[in-house]
Amino acid sequence: MIKKHFLLLLFVCSGIFAQKDIDINELKWLPNSHSFWVNSAENILVYDVGKIDQNTTVLTAKQLKDAGFNGNIKELVWNQNKTKVLVYTNSKKVWRANTKGDYWFFDLVTGKGRKLGVNLEESSLMFAKFSSDNENVAYVSKHNIYLENLTSGKITALTTDGTDKVINGTFDWVYEEELAARDGFRWSPDGKSIAFWRVDATDTKFHLMINNTDALYPFVVPVEYPKAGEKPSAVKIGVIDVASVKTNWLNIPGEPDNNYLVRMEWVAANEVMVIQLNRHQNQASIYNCNTQSGKANLIYQEKSPEWIDVFDISSGVYDGFPCQFVDNGKAFLWSSDADGWMHVYKISRDGKKKELITTGKFDAYFKAYNEKTKSIYYIASPTDATQRYLYETNLNSKKTKRLTPEAFEGTNKYEFSTDGSYAKHTNSNINRNPNVRLVSLSDHKKILPKEEDVFTAPARKFSLEKFKVTTVDGIEMDGIMAKPLDFDSTKKYPLFFYVYGEPVATVANDVPYFNGFIDHLIPKGYIGIAMDNRGTPSLKGTKWRKSIYKNIGIINTRDQAMAAKEVLKWNFIDKDRVAVHGWSGGGAVTLNLMFQYPEIYKTGVAIAAVTDQHFYDNIYTERYMGLPDENESAYIQASPVTHAKNLKGNLLYIHGTGDDNVHYKNAEVLINELIKYDKVFNLMIYPNRSHSIYEGDGTRKHLVDTFLKFIEEKCPPGAK
């Protein structure tokens, strides 16, 4: 009956020839389909890509207002048959993102709605989602999981032990930051149970940040933060029977405070698949767990001499489950770079059979799967690591082809419909602004916009070009160079290096922008250079990416310096005016370059740098450096503070005291070391600003102005 009413509603509210109103940039996919929704002046419009000339208004601004809703729509959560929706609003920041707020429930058949969690704290609800039977919604509030019946409105606490240190249904700082884990519970397929993570950070020490400005007396801001060498918080997975509110705990082997439960998903009515990493993160174990008995059956295990990437850490995707089930659930797809390239494998449900699917001699990063066509979609770039293209391999035939047309040279990003049959495609390169299209797969046929593609050049005051250099160590590195528009090859220019150099990001990318600070300086007469060293997540194979193992701060520093020496050989470079800048991990590289290669780098700006490897969190640092007591000499050698006594050039150091990621402690330890050796330097501290240094009126402008003023004074612009 509900389905018939809904179909009638769709027919009545449909609009014809509506594609001109679609902002492709704002589309968001619905579950289990190729439909998407857009927000048009607080009216929710749904489109089926197969009938793109029509739309359906499923929720109106008037219906929202009549229900008492007075916020802005930040996100929608749909039930599986798309007859009900949760509207997320009034969000607040938790660590990196605004993951807590208010949820409103709306029945799309009646148009009626109400606020959920009315007796709970305002803007405290997290990750609300429907049960499969549409009778209940579950959500997290203040580290406990709640169930709300949609008919009666009754709210039941499914966990009651949540505190600042005991976390149910979500995660602590380090799991979110380093394991891309935020949403910490999953409904069972039958809607009768909820599997959830429980993080016990009782034994995890607080890092204490001090707020000196927001009250008459300073006060402490504690953050549970396990540093390198400290044990992880104890984590386990429980399964709640929502009828009895009883919890069964999964008996996963290994100490809860010496392993990581990275991902979890329901695979049957009474079966959960769990992916575990050991403390060193060089062994991944996949368990099928019986949710009634708690028994965990090991079905697959992989080991590495370095570390294992269970998911693409550089993708920016949170909570994604890395196992895509295929063959009617009899097997799953798994990504591994064990053979020298990142490849997609098919593994049988019992783990006994393993088959290589992507066989090319290049990295293949899985993105989506189309069950109907058996198409596996992945990003690759066999010939140019600065670029990204979409490829397809058929699961059965293994036939492989590049799908991105030749016209779309450069960097290509795809956001797939949940059934893998369509995608939002964004193309750009160093000389082309982003071009956004809606395409079908696998023919890559354009659906929207209806008009012909128009490629436009960036409106900027400098040019970009790609280059390669080979160092004295035989390492070929990709680079991007920025030049002023009036560049004269017969003159000599000051040189400005932009660096990052660690395993989670690249800087030499075929995109139409360079660096937010340095972009201001290039037109004044600077050459900008960004290069990717070994250890960055370039599509150059396992050896390239993992050569940095136990060598962060060492191999990347040398690669950058040796490449810089090659750049300095160019006739148009002024060797006496060379600057370098990096932020976070790039800030650490900047300091190491300034301290260890003062003959190259004369001026530097380091922001929010890790100055001692011991100070950063355990998951990131131990993944790439091993445990401190096993690799202490490398920890010392990698840390900028070890080499601070060698400073000769002009240094500006910048940090926010409210940085919960790279703590302000890093700044003060570095300052003390520079003072000890009578090294004069410039310093800018931003009270209570986070790692991104943006909070507060005037902050970002002041940061930019401080940066530019220092560089122009210490490394003057202009060709000579």
Side-chain angles (χ1 to χ4, degrees):
M1 191 68 177
I2 290 176
K3 185 176 182 180
K4 289 182 180 179
H5 282 303
F6 185 59
L7 291 175
L8 178 62
L9 178 72
L10 295 185
F11 179 76
V12 170
C13 297
S14 292
I16 309 298
F17 304 114
Q19 77 274 5
K20 291 183 180 179
D21 299 325
I22 301 174
D23 184 351
I24 305 176
N25 291 292
E26 299 300 322
L27 74 82
K28 297 183 179 180
W29 297 107
L30 272 68
N32 305 322
S33 70
H34 47 259
S35 295
F36 63 86
W37 68 272
V38 294
N39 181 355
S40 177
E42 300 302 288
N43 296 288
I44 303 303
L45 310 183
V46 171
Y47 293 82
D48 183 324
V49 183
K51 302 175 182 178
I52 201 64
D53 290 337
Q54 303 178 26
N55 68 47
T56 302
T57 302
V58 299
L59 190 62
T60 67
K62 184 178 185 304
Q63 290 171 328
L64 289 166
K65 183 178 179 181
D66 289 348
F69 179 88
N70 58 4
N72 295 316
I73 299 172
K74 182 173 178 63
E75 187 57 86
L76 297 181
V77 180
W78 301 79
N79 68 341
Q80 289 300 308
N81 59 7
K82 308 167 195 69
T83 58
K84 304 178 190 295
V85 72
L86 303 177
V87 180
Y88 181 51
T89 188
N90 298 331
S91 65
K92 292 185 178 180
K93 189 176 181 181
V94 179
W95 310 131
R96 287 284 194 180
N98 286 30
T99 51
K100 67 178 181 180
D102 294 327
Y103 284 90
W104 290 66
F105 161 64
F106 283 88
D107 186 319
L108 300 182
V109 176
T110 66
K112 303 296 184 182
R114 63 178 176 83
K115 186 179 179 183
L116 299 180
V118 292
N119 62 344
L120 299 173
E121 183 179 300
E122 291 283 324
S123 295
S124 71
L125 274 57
M126 307 176 73
F127 313 118
K129 39 192 172 283
F130 292 97
S131 59
S132 61
D133 58 14
N134 297 317
E135 292 182 3
N136 300 296
V137 167
Y139 46 75
V140 173
S141 178
K142 302 194 77 171
H143 295 169
N144 278 313
I145 303 173
Y146 292 85
L147 181 79
E148 183 163 342
N149 185 270
L150 294 176
T151 301
S152 67
K154 180 183 177 182
I155 300 173
T156 304
L158 300 181
T159 66
T160 57
D161 61 344
T163 65
D164 288 343
K165 285 281 196 174
V166 176
I167 304 168
N168 297 294
T170 185
F171 298 93
D172 59 1
W173 183 92
V174 72
Y175 256 70
E176 174 173 329
E177 179 71 15
E178 307 302 359
L179 297 177
R182 289 173 175 163
D183 180 354
F185 75 92
R186 307 284 185 270
W187 274 105
S188 64
D190 60 9
K192 296 180 179 179
S193 302
I194 290 175
F196 72 101
W197 280 266
R198 181 183 185 273
V199 179
D200 186 350
T202 302
D203 295 330
T204 300
K205 296 174 184 176
F206 279 126
H207 180 87
L208 303 179
M209 301 187 297
I210 299 177
N211 185 321
N212 283 306
T213 64
D214 292 348
L216 182 60
Y217 289 91
F219 59 91
V220 170
V221 180
V223 179
E224 68 265 2
Y225 190 103
K227 299 187 180 184
E230 299 286 314
K231 273 197 168 187
S233 297
V235 177
K236 59 182 180 178
I237 292 175
V239 180
I240 305 168
D241 175 79
V242 297
S244 65
V245 196
K246 290 184 179 179
T247 300
N248 287 333
W249 298 100
L250 302 184
N251 298 316
I252 299 170
E255 298 170 320
D257 63 349
N258 214 31
N259 292 277
Y260 302 105
L261 301 181
V262 183
R263 291 292 185 268
M264 172 262 290
E265 193 61 77
W266 288 88
V267 294
N270 295 307
E271 189 177 339
V272 167
M273 180 178 281
V274 177
I275 303 175
Q276 179 195 63
L277 279 174
N278 65 337
R279 172 76 177 273
H280 287 79
Q281 300 172 69
N282 57 11
Q283 177 179 291
S285 303
I286 302 180
Y287 294 93
N288 272 345
C289 304
N290 186 291
T291 58
Q292 294 183 332
S293 68
K295 182 180 179 181
N297 178 39
L298 179 66
I299 62 168
Y300 179 75
Q301 192 172 78
E302 184 171 312
K303 298 181 181 181
S304 168
E306 299 92 12
W307 71 86
I308 292 176
D309 291 311
V310 170
F311 55 92
D312 181 4
I313 192 69
S314 65
S315 69
V317 176
Y318 286 77
D319 301 313
F321 191 64
C323 302
Q324 170 69 55
F325 280 88
V326 297
D327 297 346
N328 296 316
K330 296 178 181 179
F332 59 90
L333 303 179
W334 172 258
S335 295
S336 170
D337 63 1
D339 74 346
W341 302 100
M342 182 62 74
H343 278 311
V344 179
Y345 294 81
K346 184 173 78 170
I347 299 175
S348 62
R349 181 75 170 267
D350 60 10
K352 294 181 179 180
K353 296 180 180 179
K354 181 179 178 182
E355 179 184 6
L356 178 64
I357 302 299
T358 58
T359 58
K361 298 294 184 181
F362 54 84
D363 291 310
Y365 280 85
F366 175 83
K367 291 299 177 183
Y369 176 68
N370 186 319
E371 176 63 36
K372 289 184 178 180
T373 62
K374 310 301 179 187
S375 298
I376 298 171
Y377 298 112
Y378 52 91
I379 292 295
S381 187
T383 60
D384 187 339
T386 71
Q387 300 179 331
R388 299 290 185 270
Y389 298 100
L390 182 64
Y391 280 70
E392 174 193 31
T393 294
N394 183 271
L395 179 63
N396 296 328
S397 70
K398 310 300 185 296
K399 182 178 179 181
T400 297
K401 61 180 178 179
R402 172 176 148 170
L403 297 185
T404 307
E406 294 294 330
F408 298 98
E409 180 184 4
T411 298
N412 294 275
K413 299 179 180 179
Y414 293 82
E415 296 178 28
F416 293 85
S417 62
T418 46
D419 65 357
S421 58
Y422 295 87
K424 183 175 80 172
H425 168 219
T426 304
N427 164 256
S428 66
N429 60 43
I430 57 173
N431 295 313
R432 178 184 294 173
N433 282 320
N435 178 279
V436 184
R437 314 157 80 242
L438 183 61
V439 299
S440 57
L441 298 172
S442 62
D443 57 6
H444 213 280
K445 181 180 178 181
K446 181 181 176 182
I447 307 297
L448 289 176
K450 294 292 187 181
E451 300 78 21
E452 289 294 320
D453 288 308
V454 177
F455 299 119
T456 61
R460 63 189 183 217
K461 298 179 180 179
F462 56 89
S463 65
L464 291 175
E465 61 186 72
K466 297 193 289 186
F467 68 91
K468 295 178 183 289
V469 294
T470 301
T471 72
V472 68
D473 300 319
I475 306 302
E476 183 184 76
M477 292 168 56
D478 289 295
I480 301 292
M481 176 163 49
K483 292 178 178 178
L485 295 180
D486 60 353
F487 172 75
D488 184 343
S489 63
T490 66
K491 296 183 177 180
K492 292 187 179 295
Y493 290 81
L495 181 60
F496 206 144
F497 289 99
Y498 165 46
V499 297
Y500 183 72
E502 297 205 357
V504 297
T506 55
V507 294
N509 303 312
D510 197 350
V511 292
Y513 49 84
F514 188 70
N515 171 271
F517 293 116
I518 303 174
D519 286 359
H520 295 284
L521 293 167
I522 303 301
K524 297 180 180 182
Y526 290 85
I527 300 296
I529 295 288
M531 299 181 290
D532 284 323
N533 50 261
R534 286 175 293 172
T536 55
S538 296
L539 304 189
K540 292 185 173 182
T542 307
K543 183 178 180 181
W544 174 274
R545 290 188 295 275
K546 293 188 174 179
S547 60
I548 203 170
Y549 185 58
K550 295 188 176 182
N551 278 295
I552 277 188
I554 301 172
I555 197 172
N556 48 345
T557 300
R558 178 171 176 82
D559 276 1
Q560 288 288 335
M562 295 304 101
K565 285 188 175 182
E566 299 304 315
V567 172
L568 290 180
K569 295 176 182 178
W570 298 347
N571 293 332
F572 53 87
I573 298 299
D574 186 339
K575 299 178 182 179
D576 295 324
R577 291 183 291 166
V578 179
V580 60
H581 159 63
W583 196 314
S584 193
V589 174
T590 296
L591 293 174
N592 272 325
L593 292 172
M594 287 287 293
F595 298 159
Q596 296 183 51
Y597 297 93
E599 74 279 11
I600 300 175
Y601 305 94
K602 309 302 172 58
T603 299
V605 181
I607 303 179
V610 177
T611 63
D612 188 322
Q613 291 290 331
H614 299 85
F615 296 165
Y616 201 54
D617 74 69
N618 56 1
I619 295 182
Y620 182 93
T621 311
E622 293 174 7
R623 177 191 298 150
Y624 303 123
M625 288 292 285
L627 274 63
D629 60 4
E630 300 170 353
N631 195 30
E632 182 62 18
S633 61
Y635 268 74
I636 294 171
Q637 175 65 17
S639 299
V641 69
T642 301
H643 313 283
K645 59 181 175 290
N646 300 321
L647 176 64
K648 293 182 180 179
N650 310 299
L651 173 65
L652 169 60
Y653 188 78
I654 300 172
H655 215 126
T657 67
D659 191 335
D660 61 16
N661 183 355
V662 179
H663 303 137
Y664 178 63
K665 171 187 176 74
N666 286 271
E668 294 206 343
V669 169
L670 175 66
I671 291 167
N672 268 343
E673 195 70 6
L674 291 168
I675 292 171
K676 177 180 177 181
Y677 290 99
D678 193 25
K679 299 297 179 179
V680 177
F681 65 102
N682 290 62
L683 179 69
M684 179 54 66
I685 301 302
Y686 287 92
N688 300 326
R689 271 61 166 195
S690 69
H691 192 57
S692 299
I693 312 182
Y694 69 92
E695 302 87 350
D697 293 341
T699 297
R700 208 21 103 107
K701 184 178 187 305
H702 186 274
L703 176 61
V704 172
D705 290 346
T706 300
F707 186 106
L708 300 183
K709 183 175 184 293
F710 177 80
I711 292 298
E712 290 187 54
E713 288 180 355
K714 304 299 183 180
C715 184
K720 295 182 178 179

